[in-house]
Amino acid sequence: MSVPAALDRHLRDLLSSGQVRCVLGPAAGCGPRGTAHLARTPEAVDRFELSPLACANVLVHLTSEEARRDDARRPVAVLARPCETRMLNQLLSERAIERDELHVVGLGGCRGVIDSRKLRERLPELRGFPEVREEGDTFVIEGEGMEPVSVPRNELLLDRCSGCDISEPLFHDHTFPLADAAPTSAAEAECAPEPSDEGWDYWADQFERCIRCYACRDACPLCYCEDCVLDRLRPMWVPRSVSLKNNTAYQLIRVLHLSGRCTACGECEQACPVDLPLLTLARKMEQEMRELYGARSGFDPEGRHPMSVFDPNDPEGTDFEEQGR
Amino acid sequence: MKAVIAREDVGRLLAIAARRDELHVPVLDGGGGRFVPLNAEDPVPRDGLMLNGSSARRPPKEVLFAQTAPLFAFELRRGDFSIDELPPEAATKVLFGVRPCDGRGFRVLDSLLLGKCGTDPAYASARQGSVLVGIGCGRPGSDCFCTSVGGDPHGTDGLDVLATDLGDALHLESLTDGGEGWLRAIAAAVDSPLTPANPETDQRCREAHEEARGRVPRHVDLEPLDAVLERAFDDELWDDLAAACIGCGACTFLCPTCRCFDVQDEVRGDRGLRVRVWDSCMFREYTQEAGGHNPRPRRGMRWRNRFYDKFRWGAHDGQPACVGCGRCITHCPSGVDLIDLVERVVESGGAA
Amino acid sequence: MLSPTDERAQAEFEPTIVAFLCNWCSYAGADLAGTQRLTYPANVRVIRVMCSGRVDPGYVLQCLLQGADGVLVSGCHHGDCHYVCGNRIAERRVTVMRRLLEFVGVEPGRVRLTWVSGAEGRRFARVIDDVVRDIKALGPFHGFERRAS
Ligand code: SF4
Ligand code: SF4
Ligand code: SF4
Ligand code: SF4
Ligand code: SF4
Ligand code: FES
């Protein structure tokens, strides 16, 4: 059993009372990457894991084609870290899921999770899913047959966590504190990297590497269209041929379809098998939406998509002379 | 033929090889590495060769079985329809630094693309005369399990030449006629950096092989699998096994033996190109029929297809179509682990 | 610095520009420019849409992918859109798209947005003059291919 006793009891009660049909949350993987777990029986609650390494893309399973077809998945209880409640808000605002289908178990006092790819790089000899303890500003990693290793937090934190300014769930039905964690200090929150302006040559290098596996789209909790334009053959928005040009079109369309909705959760970047800096794009667009329209996705469950509304005070997008530079 | 080359001379060897043929080598590319063509003037790639350490994240499959292969161009001209065949590439391709698992992977590709059901012309012409120079794995990657599927970190199956890393030198041994010819030609070059092998290097080579075998980190027992797969097709377990899968194609696109493709016409105005592009059985559209029906509507069913392909349908010469490279495990965004799945399938025993 | 040959190439460069004009104002404005016999450069290929709000950023991207050097979206003035606020939505979309293009290193000036009413034939001609002049200054678009080094 890897979740605190009180939480374990709560989840089991939810399932055995029939209040929810299943519980969705993170579990340990076979390797250092966490995995999503769907518990349909009280016994299956055992597999949940709240270690900072068990950060799986859980929410994508709420909106996947599979979940939409499976009535038995709703109502569903979700174990959600604070940033995940933000994503849930966004999904609610889009009516991708209804509030009464959800039971949100918020995990409070989040100090951030570990990027398994950074951990692998740091400790290549690591096998299996290690134990992780938090001690002050370090993570102590205890792998199979290895001496415990201390690694400074900032070397392992997931990119989305550095710069995260919410440490408590935005809303919840029940909340549980993550084991004696102190909330993120403001100083840590401020170190969100400014997306830098790299120019076309840099981006060409990136887009050229893409193998068009569609993992970035499939991993995105907000990419739930049944009929995605990126799959369309008629009209063929993006030809299937893999080339710099087509890959760029693919990525720009994906990013535009998410602008104003994307919560910069970084699941796209985590999923990319060839390490495209997709979170950089996501963050850039998030920042633009904020700057231009004061729009912040995922903070208002009733909010409208900023690309479908306007404000009389919108900054002039039409200074025609200015645009020509 | 056996030969030895000092590590610092590898660049010179590559320069000679690149003068002769179209040479492809694994390099770091900011995305875990892949094979790129190397030209003779610029023998050492700027981002670094991936000859020690682990395999390139993208397998060499794509050099011979291109992700995008144009088949022919067509055009509508004043009511006339014309087709231009695209002549297949003529150059002999040499792949230097192929991992043994990936070398075996080409056998699996051959069995379909050059097999009984017909020949894929683009693959056949790229494969024609190709020389696969393997490099053994002194340090297998974190999810390698080649020894469980009939391979070895210094396995020779599918390769034409095998290089063994002796630290300060590489030991090269030809395994096929093609490999012999290539190695002799390199040795015959005026500026050849090759020196003959000797009993001492042979001995070190054997030791390196032995040692590497013990370093393969993961293992799985496939023995009981076949009998279970016989029964497990209609089992309910597949949906459960695939529960965490998000249905992206990362595992199949990184797999050295996945070989599904689609054929598309890309038309602009009056001209078009018919292309062969990789496809993936993990995609919903893969089996989507025009009328709307999808015979594999659920992820579990798609996973089952991939699993049966790797361990049953795609198997040939008594070997599974999975060569144990571990890429699909390491890079699955959802933490789905093939070895774990094999074990769970075996454990289930299959439906009665 | 442009070399003398580059300069010559640029002087001779005739850009291809796609203009999405809304049916009710900008298209009428273009029409008026024609009936008034105003002259403006012939680099523009006009696509009539019912409203500037109909222009999906994907259309703009397709133009750039398929050989356009620049794209113009033009609708009714604020408050005049025949679908109430389509132009304001277009304004947001084009603005966001320009920011994204700029971020990946494509000159945002290749995508322009303006308003031309049905009575503004002269303004339409001037807009086209300006767009063509500015795109000429930017030079041919690489179409999301590698720039020759
Ligand atoms: S960061 Fe990526 S995965 Fe997350 S919402 Fe944005 S586009 Fe989707
Ligand atoms: S996940 Fe990466 S490689 Fe796959 S389509 Fe997206 S950007 Fe391309
Ligand atoms: S197993 Fe992993 S890599 Fe393969 S399709 Fe599923 S989520 Fe993607
Ligand atoms: S199935 Fe996985 S481990 Fe087996 S060959 Fe393919 S990528 Fe490698
Ligand atoms: S699976 Fe075996 S052959 Fe392949 S990279 Fe790993 S150790 Fe080498
Ligand atoms: S009708 Fe002209 S912009 Fe909407």
Side-chain angles (χ1 to χ4, degrees), chain A residues 215, chain B residues 244-252 282 303 306 328 331-336:
Chain B
C245 169
I246 60 169
C248 70
C251 52
T252 50
M282 302 308 279
W303 237 105
R306 175 160 168 253
C328 61
H331 303 292
C332 169
S334 313
V336 178

Side-chain angles (χ1 to χ4, degrees), chain B residues 54-55 99-102 135-141 143-147 151-155 212 216-217 323-327:
Chain B
S54 49
S55 55
R99 300 288 160 177
C101 53
D102 295 341
I135 178 123
C137 307
R139 277 180 285 148
D143 290 304
C144 289
F145 60 104
C146 51
T147 47
D152 186 274
H154 289 85
V216 175
V323 294
C325 74
R327 288 182 179 93

Side-chain angles (χ1 to χ4, degrees), chain B residues 7 12 37 41 43 90 114-116 124 130 147 150 152 163 191 205 224 242 255 297 307 313 329:
Chain B
R7 196 155 250 291
R12 277 168 62 203
E41 294 75 58
L114 308 175
K116 293 190 281 290
S130 62
T147 47
D152 186 274
D191 52 348
C205 211
C255 177
F307 198 93
W313 303 328
I329 300 177

Side-chain angles (χ1 to χ4, degrees), chain C residues 72-117:
Chain C
L72 168 70
V73 178
S74 182
C76 314
H77 286 276
H78 282 185
D80 288 351
C81 171
H82 291 226
Y83 306 93
V84 186
C85 62
N87 51 356
R88 302 303 298 259
I89 307 289
E91 189 170 11
R92 282 195 169 196
R93 291 184 180 157
V94 171
T95 305
V96 167
M97 172 150 201
R98 284 165 45 90
R99 296 280 170 110
L100 176 60
L101 288 175
E102 183 171 20
F103 188 60
V104 299
V106 172
E107 305 89 343
R110 296 198 182 272
V111 181
R112 304 283 292 267
L113 173 78
T114 197
W115 318 130
V116 173
S117 81

Side-chain angles (χ1 to χ4, degrees), chain A residues 66-82:
Chain A
E66 212 85 333
R68 283 197 311 267
R69 270 187 218 152
D70 182 0
D71 287 338
R73 283 212 193 184
R74 295 199 170 145
V76 54
V78 193
L79 287 171
R81 287 184 181 262

Side-chain angles (χ1 to χ4, degrees), chain A:
Chain A
M1 191 190 75
S2 318
V3 296
L7 177 55
D8 184 80
R9 218 172 312 115
H10 179 65
L11 298 180
R12 281 167 195 268
D13 286 350
L14 283 174
L15 283 163
S16 47
S17 67
Q19 201 182 332
V20 302
R21 295 211 233 185
C22 53
V23 183
L24 188 55
C30 299
R33 222 192 257 255
T35 186
H37 173 52
L38 189 75
R40 294 179 194 266
T41 61
E43 298 73 57
V45 167
D46 281 350
R47 262 197 76 198
F48 289 120
E49 168 70 58
L50 297 184
S51 135
L53 189 53
C55 61
N57 184 352
V58 163
L59 299 184
V60 70
H61 292 281
L62 276 181
T63 52
S64 68
E65 39 144 346
E66 212 85 333
R68 283 197 311 267
R69 270 187 218 152
D70 182 0
D71 287 338
R73 283 212 193 184
R74 295 199 170 145
V76 54
V78 193
L79 287 171
R81 287 184 181 262
C83 57
E84 290 170 313
T85 60
R86 178 179 173 195
M87 178 59 83
L88 285 171
N89 255 339
Q90 183 61 26
L91 289 168
L92 288 170
S93 79
E94 297 182 6
R95 310 284 303 265
I97 185 159
E98 300 295 333
R99 185 66 182 89
D100 58 6
E101 298 175 314
L102 272 185
H103 177 96
V104 178
V105 181
L107 304 170
C110 179
R111 293 191 66 204
V113 290
I114 296 177
D115 184 338
S116 64
R117 301 190 301 178
K118 291 184 186 167
L119 181 62
R120 241 187 233 273
E121 204 150 288
R122 183 67 213 262
L123 302 173
E125 65 282 12
L126 198 68
R127 303 287 174 257
F129 191 86
E131 291 279 329
V132 179
R133 270 180 295 121
E134 300 189 56
E135 280 179 13
D137 278 338
T138 60
F139 287 117
V140 181
I141 317 288
E142 259 178 88
E144 268 167 45
M146 271 173 60
E147 288 293 305
V149 187
S150 293
V151 186
R153 291 174 58 83
N154 56 12
E155 284 180 31
L156 294 184
L157 272 189
L158 198 63
D159 286 345
R160 79 157 174 252
C161 300
S162 45
C164 170
D165 56 4
I166 39 176
S167 61
E168 292 300 326
L170 298 175
F171 71 105
H172 56 78
D173 297 295
H174 274 269
T175 178
F176 284 89
L178 288 159
D180 45 75
T184 326
S185 70
E188 212 169 307
E190 264 163 36
C191 65
E194 269 291 295
S196 64
D197 198 341
E198 300 272 10
W200 172 242
D201 290 338
Y202 169 82
W203 285 103
D205 278 346
Q206 307 302 318
F207 295 147
E208 192 253 347
R209 209 165 62 231
C210 166
I211 56 174
R212 296 272 293 286
C213 65
Y214 300 80
C216 45
R217 176 199 62 182
D218 292 329
C220 178
L222 291 168
C223 272
Y224 50 77
C225 295
E226 194 110 10
D227 182 10
C228 170
V229 292
L230 300 168
D231 288 330
R232 276 282 179 98
L233 297 174
R234 256 159 205 269
M236 194 182 263
W237 289 87
V238 188
R240 288 286 199 278
S241 292
V242 175
S243 64
L244 170 57
K245 188 177 178 136
N246 292 340
N247 299 354
T248 305
Y250 166 85
Q251 206 49 253
L252 294 185
I253 291 178
R254 196 188 67 81
V255 170
L256 282 169
H257 282 194
L258 285 148
S259 296
R261 307 168 53 222
C262 167
T263 64
C265 71
E267 292 297 351
C268 46
E269 179 172 299
Q270 282 291 304
C272 178
V274 291
D275 302 346
L276 263 69
L278 302 176
L279 180 57
T280 308
L281 287 171
R283 280 198 158 149
K284 172 66 183 173
M285 295 321 281
E286 203 215 9
Q287 180 194 308
E288 292 288 357
M289 297 310 295
R290 222 162 141 171
E291 207 179 287
L292 285 163
Y293 309 119
R296 248 198 123 184
S297 56
F299 282 89
D300 178 6
E302 307 286 321
R304 304 253 332 252
H305 181 13
M307 292 283 98
S308 66
V309 293
F310 77 100
D311 185 311
N313 303 315
D314 272 356
E316 278 285 330
T318 50
D319 187 334
F320 186 65
E321 308 296 325
E322 180 78 348
Q323 292 167 6
R325 73 202 145 93

